[in-house]
Amino acid sequence: MKKLSQDKAPIYEALVKHKSNRVVPFDVPGHKGGRGNKELTEFLGQDCLKVDVNSMKPLDNLCHPTSVIREAEVLAAEAFGAADAFFIVNGTTAAVQAMIMSTCKAGDKVIMPRNVHRSAINALVVCGAVPVYVNPGVEKNIGIPLGMSVQDVEKAILENKDAKAILVNNPTYYGICSDLKAIVALAHKHNMLALVDEAHGTHFYFGENMPLSAMAANADMAAISMHKTGGSLTQSSFLVCGKNMDASYVRQIINLTQTTSGSYLLLSSLDLARKNLALNGKEIFKQADDLANYAREEINKLGGYNAFSKELINGDTVFDFDTTKLSIHTRDIGLAGIEVYDILRDEYGIQIEFGDIGNILAIISAGDRMLEIERLVSALYEIKRRYSKDKTGMFDHEYINPEVVLAPQKAFYSSKKSVPIAESSGKISGEFVMCYPPGIPILAPGERITDEIVNYISYAKEKGCLVTGPKDMDILNINVVEEC
């Protein structure tokens, strides 16, 4: 293959050429460049609909790329310091699942923190791998789950020497980073593969003075949500691999679940976002980091809030901190994070990433401006002045250590019955329960339901969290495993 430059965007360039050729479309999609759906065309724009096309020879094929998509993959791998890169249009969920399914088969063990995104546990339900959970540390003052202790990972390895892989969240939703280099080294020492859910870490590859990226830590695979902080369209991501992985096999695994009708809108957005970050990433993420740090300082001056940062670093469960994450603890003003989230949106016209029981998260990127930062700070000041109250009786932690009784696949596909959540304590869950976002399960299939979990679910619903997972859309009942 010819030598490629990071200032090229092969997929985008091929689409521009295709559009100028004025090809007559007798293929799908049926809107035919927007002519078949006037309202949609007016909403999204004709330029958008003209390049919403199907695979064809000049535009390559996502399932088996040999030309422009393959060139774009090579450029992406180079930009991320990886041996191989794959364009993912089913969201980072698909990338996380491809990592696990590429390294584990039914019955194989995979070591992972319990505070993983549901996509990782979904992969276990599908492929039948068995989790060995490492409970994350918990920060006592703000109640959030932290990273995995290296000592706890080593203990899990020594007790499960037949495990195939170790999965690490880096960073967590809150910005917490584990000692990734040490964990990867431990995995390789014991002939295990190191997988990294790097959904919130695109900027680690392109910014300066950022936490260590998965590829720089010599990890074997990483799932990267380019759309979260990298500027591509929602649902577009990269899966990158180190030199130890069989890239052709990984592609086969991806093709088990990824669509055969890859969206060229998503593909070109990944291509252009990679180009932009490769050329301008240092400046882009310095601006984002500067804005986040300014906001953090101003919010902490308000009193009552704790916009936490690198002061949490302890060399182990918090090995580093992603300062672009504007995570703010709200419990000391007597409000759950989800309550602040709702007030910001409903009364101040400010949409943040999520609110949970005790925290909110604002994602800061190159698209933000100082005026909006000031607006957020002012709104938080007003919320404290108008709504703050005594915090007595509030939940003080986000994470509950689970008791795992059955493997997720066995529990999910077992015979189940529906019972009221309020009466489910002591039973084994046959489905997920989680607040979304962030999508980290409160309960996963195969885990024992406890009074603490029942109370947590009730409290989360009362405070306004979007609880998802159960078959019962009203979240009143839960499917539990029928006892033998």
Side-chain angles (χ1 to χ4, degrees):
M1 183 177 286
K2 63 186 178 183
K3 176 64 178 174
L4 299 167
S5 170
Q6 289 293 331
D7 64 359
K8 297 296 183 183
I11 300 172
Y12 160 75
E13 291 161 14
L15 282 170
V16 171
K17 184 176 180 181
H18 166 76
K19 191 167 67 167
S20 68
N21 286 341
R22 302 179 67 186
V23 173
V24 178
F26 286 109
D27 61 349
V28 298
H31 61 67
K32 306 287 181 175
R35 294 197 308 260
N37 192 330
K38 181 180 178 182
E39 190 173 14
L40 180 64
T41 304
E42 290 174 351
F43 178 56
L44 294 180
Q46 190 169 57
D47 284 345
C48 177
L49 273 294
K50 285 283 188 183
V51 293
D52 180 39
V53 293
N54 194 30
S55 296
M56 59 187 75
K57 281 190 176 180
L59 297 180
D60 210 353
N61 187 292
L62 180 60
C63 295
H64 190 90
T66 57
S67 59
V68 293
I69 294 177
R70 181 65 191 132
E71 289 177 2
E73 288 180 342
V74 170
L75 283 169
E78 180 184 278
F80 284 96
D84 295 280
F86 301 92
F87 280 61
I88 303 295
V89 295
N90 284 23
T92 311
T93 287
V96 170
Q97 292 172 350
M99 286 198 302
I100 292 173
M101 293 166 66
S102 295
T103 56
C104 298
K105 299 179 177 66
D108 287 344
K109 294 178 183 176
V110 55
I111 297 169
M112 61 173 65
R114 174 54 182 76
N115 60 322
V116 290
H117 188 266
R118 72 166 293 173
S119 57
I121 303 178
N122 281 349
L124 305 181
V125 170
V126 173
C127 76
V130 179
V132 175
Y133 289 130
V134 175
N135 284 317
V138 175
E139 211 292 326
K140 292 180 180 178
N141 293 321
I142 53 181
I144 64 168
L146 303 177
M148 290 191 292
S149 161
V150 174
Q151 184 178 354
D152 288 345
V153 172
E154 185 170 29
K155 182 175 183 289
I157 289 173
L158 294 176
E159 292 176 353
N160 300 273
K161 293 183 178 179
D162 55 343
K164 301 297 183 183
I166 298 172
L167 175 70
V168 187
N169 290 340
N170 205 71
T172 69
Y173 232 124
Y174 302 99
I176 305 296
C177 298
S178 300
D179 188 349
L180 192 57
K181 190 171 184 178
I183 292 172
V184 170
L186 267 176
H188 290 167
K189 178 182 176 182
H190 293 274
N191 299 312
M192 299 177 189
L193 294 169
L195 319 176
V196 184
D197 180 348
E198 212 166 23
H200 292 270
T202 301
H203 44 295
F204 291 3
Y205 291 89
F206 303 99
E208 291 185 307
N209 303 313
M210 296 283 172
L212 192 69
S213 71
M215 290 296 103
N218 200 32
D220 298 294
M221 303 180 82
I224 303 168
S225 282
M226 194 70 160
H227 68 93
K228 285 185 168 67
T229 59
S232 66
L233 291 178
T234 296
Q235 200 176 308
S236 60
S237 296
F238 282 116
L239 175 62
V240 298
C241 300
K243 62 183 183 298
N244 294 329
M245 298 304 301
D246 180 347
S248 296
Y249 178 68
V250 172
R251 193 184 301 281
Q252 284 187 314
I253 296 298
I254 292 170
N255 285 341
L256 289 176
T257 55
Q258 176 147 274
T259 178
T260 56
S261 303
S263 166
Y264 279 87
L265 299 176
L266 299 181
L267 293 172
S268 58
S269 80
L270 281 168
D271 201 18
L272 287 170
R274 181 272 313 153
K275 173 185 173 181
N276 186 36
L277 295 186
L279 299 178
N280 307 304
K282 288 182 181 179
E283 296 80 11
I284 287 171
F285 292 121
K286 183 181 186 306
Q287 177 183 329
D289 197 35
D290 287 347
L291 286 173
N293 284 323
Y294 171 79
R296 189 174 288 111
E297 291 174 7
E298 293 302 303
I299 291 166
N300 283 333
K301 289 177 184 176
L302 301 178
Y305 297 105
N306 179 5
F308 48 90
S309 184
K310 290 197 171 191
E311 72 277 359
L312 297 181
I313 292 174
N314 59 23
D316 189 16
T317 52
V318 188
F319 188 77
D320 206 346
F321 187 85
D322 175 11
T323 52
T324 69
K325 297 286 188 297
L326 185 56
S327 300
I328 306 163
H329 186 63
T330 65
R331 193 178 297 115
D332 287 342
I333 65 167
L335 295 175
I338 187 62
E339 292 175 309
V340 176
Y341 170 102
D342 286 339
I343 296 168
L344 281 170
R345 184 198 60 233
D346 296 343
E347 298 191 26
Y348 294 91
I350 296 173
Q351 180 64 56
I352 57 173
E353 175 66 11
F354 83 89
D356 57 24
I357 298 301
N359 305 275
I360 58 173
L361 170 64
I363 295 290
I364 308 298
S365 73
D368 290 299
R369 297 291 180 266
M370 183 60 76
L371 180 64
E372 286 125 359
I373 296 293
E374 296 286 10
R375 185 173 164 186
L376 173 62
V377 174
S378 296
L380 290 173
Y381 168 76
E382 284 295 312
I383 290 170
K384 178 193 169 188
R385 183 181 65 83
R386 295 173 59 197
Y387 294 102
S388 62
K389 56 189 177 184
D390 183 24
K391 66 177 182 178
T392 302
M394 297 185 70
F395 266 64
D396 62 358
H397 57 281
E398 303 292 342
Y399 178 76
I400 300 170
N401 287 344
E403 179 192 347
V404 180
V405 182
L406 298 174
Q409 186 185 64
K410 184 174 182 179
F412 188 84
Y413 288 112
S414 67
S415 295
K416 292 173 283 194
K417 64 180 180 180
S418 179
V419 301
I421 292 175
E423 300 171 16
S424 65
S425 184
K427 302 185 185 302
I428 301 168
S429 178
E431 54 190 2
F432 290 95
V433 182
M434 72 206 79
C435 296
Y436 190 86
I440 296 167
I442 302 166
L443 266 176
E447 294 176 357
R448 180 85 63 190
I449 305 169
T450 64
D451 289 342
E452 186 180 16
I453 288 170
V454 170
N455 291 337
Y456 186 98
I457 294 169
S458 174
Y459 185 83
K461 288 172 62 181
E462 176 190 325
K463 292 298 183 182
C465 292
L466 174 61
V467 179
T468 69
K471 183 179 176 182
D472 176 17
M473 295 293 286
D474 294 322
I475 321 295
L476 298 174
N477 299 298
I478 185 169
N479 279 336
V480 299
V481 175
E482 287 190 334
E483 297 179 10
C484 299

